[in-house]
Amino acid sequence: MSNPFFNEDHESIREMARDFANKTLAPIAAEVDKTEHFPLEVAKQMADLGFLGLKIPEEYGGLGLDMRSYVCVMEEIARKCATATLFISSANSLSTAPIVISGTPEQKEKYLPGVVAGEEFIAFGLTEPNAGSDAASLTTKAVKDGDDYILNGRKCFITMAPMANYTIVYAKTDPEKGAKGITCFMVDMSLPGVSCGKHEEKMGQRGVPVSDVVLEDVRVSKDCVIGEVDLGFINAMKTLSVGRVGVASMCLGMAAEAIELAVEHTKNRVQFGKPLCKHQAIAFMLADMETKLNAARGLVYNAAWLMDNGVKADKEASMAKYFAAEAAIDIINKSLQLHGGYGYSREYAIERLYRDIRVCSIYEGSSQVQQIVISGQMLK
Amino acid sequence: MNILVCVKQVPDTTEIKIDPVKNTLIRDGVPSILNPFDGYALEAAARIKDKDPDAKIVAVTMGPPQAVAVLKECLAIAADKAYLVSGRTFGGSDTLATSYILSSAVKKIEETEGKFDAIFCGKQAIDGDTAQVGPEMAEHLGYPQVTYGLEAEVDGDGLKVIKEMEDGKAVMGVKFPCVVTFTKPAWDPRYPTIKRKMAANRAEIPTLDDTMFPEMDTTRIGLKGSPTHVKKTFVPQKKSGGVKIQEADNETGAKKLFELLSGASII
């Protein structure tokens, strides 16, 4: 028994995810980063193994597993290839949670099996040029027209948009009511009036394309409304709460990898007549990194465990995401420091980790938004 | 189509160290894994099943109770059923005794699973490296055998096996029932899916213990039934690796060789 949070199934899922990451992802990760392309056949392979349907109910082709299974997979996959985790987090949380949480059985039947099979991709469109952390201030509009809605607006930084079959779009159906006038729509990317704009050139996690989603008089039927009209914001917030634990888990994996690289490098690199790790200043840095990682693990595993036991854990998920992201950025930064000049070279994996981790304190709720959620729960 | 795959739990020799004083393996803390060659045998069976979904794959291992771990792995990857052969009187068996016990187990398992058309084994286990158990099983059972198989496909009432030779490959036909041992092909065994992995965690694995073979000749099993005795183990002296010259054509290869030899003042 390695950990009180996990059972035999969790451990065997972790083991197979680690095996897959070592054998299939590690050899391609540098190339994925360099070419900004993740091979779709590998995404399909992840689907066949079950990674894309971990949290999706069994009746829609998924495995119906718990949050901790998802944590184990995200952690192990992130060690070797951050881009690969985007396929997993997208399929298990951002692109499907809105449907799993509030979709009709027909919508679940229509959208979920394709995602589980790795054959269809759904992007999550909440952020806008002027509505990031303050998501409720979004200005994309949906105007009712008979049985249809006409959508107009622009979403930005939308992960996977250029390759997506659908995008989940949050739009104002009642602009007067602020957060209580937002509705969630499923928009087919092939509809007239939908376009993507240019691809963002990103610092890290480069294997998946990110772009705007531009909506110009896009007509969607009322069947495309996910959940109730005007109640989309609650759906978005619930989705993000699931996503936070996913991002936190990937931070754990990347930080663990950085520590492993630091240990190996400082054992082998000799300066001043002995291996770096034999210098106490260096050894103490390693101790701090390891301690911080394990503190983060405690928060993340606890949040996942609470969710699996049906306990409302918004604050715990935010604390996990906040602490794990900040800790991982610090740990990876220190690992790069310990690599010296080598760490600054693209030939070394730590350089990629340093770029890949940076967005983790920004997306799916910045660290500051997590602080708002945490303090909000304390002060209500 | 009914295939039995024989597997063994072995220490992961990539992580193993040898006690410099006693010349024995240090097994403490070394993880146990499915013998890689047995993994290739299982994959060969799985590829037959890919083409014939009605085919059945049964895995068997002889070993201590903790060897069920490799049987679970086989179930997760491709096997439909698994059996553990385990008994105190089986302990200490060499390859001859092991292959005798396993051949008896084949007959026993056939009472439940039906007759096996083919028995697949890894060419050898990475701990003992003997490469004897598969061929000896074929002899005990009186079956034809093909060793060093790379891939196998069903061909009428037998198998067509592509086997590795020192200077290339050979295609052999062999009639059912038969024994085939496998070496490393160009591919790795498939990953288990999460679904199969979780089902394997819950699978019941029957144990065939030494009381279940009343007809077995007890003078042929265990330590006293084993003619092999280890006289001495030692660590061979390490030789430094040679240089491989592999150039685009023979002429550049020859030039490179000349440069190396003259550079080392040999010629």
Side-chain angles (χ1 to χ4, degrees), chain B residues 73-141:
Chain B
E73 194 173 336
C74 292
L75 289 168
I77 295 166
D80 301 295
K81 286 284 287 282
Y83 289 86
L84 173 70
V85 179
S86 190
R88 204 165 271 278
T89 59
F90 297 157
S93 293
D94 69 356
T95 60
L96 188 65
T98 300
S99 58
Y100 171 64
I101 298 165
L102 280 173
S103 325
S104 312
V106 169
K107 299 289 169 202
K108 190 73 153 183
I109 297 168
E110 282 181 339
E111 289 170 15
T112 319
E113 303 296 339
K115 182 129 181 91
F116 292 111
D117 300 300
I119 297 169
F120 285 3
C121 306
K123 69 157 175 153
Q124 66 193 54
I126 58 168
D127 54 354
D129 274 340
T130 64
Q132 291 170 356
V133 173
E136 285 173 355
M137 277 179 76
E139 292 305 314
H140 287 302
L141 293 162

Side-chain angles (χ1 to χ4, degrees), chain A residues 162-202:
Chain A
M163 60 187 287
N165 305 82
Y166 302 94
T167 296
I168 290 168
V169 170
Y170 292 89
K172 287 258 163 84
T173 29
D174 191 344
E176 306 295 303
K177 289 202 281 185
K180 288 178 181 146
I182 293 171
T183 302
C184 174
F185 293 90
M186 183 64 90
V187 176
D188 188 325
M189 293 297 279
S190 63
L191 285 176
V194 182
S195 60
C196 276
K198 70 166 178 59
H199 294 202
E200 294 296 337
E201 259 217 63
K202 288 175 295 166

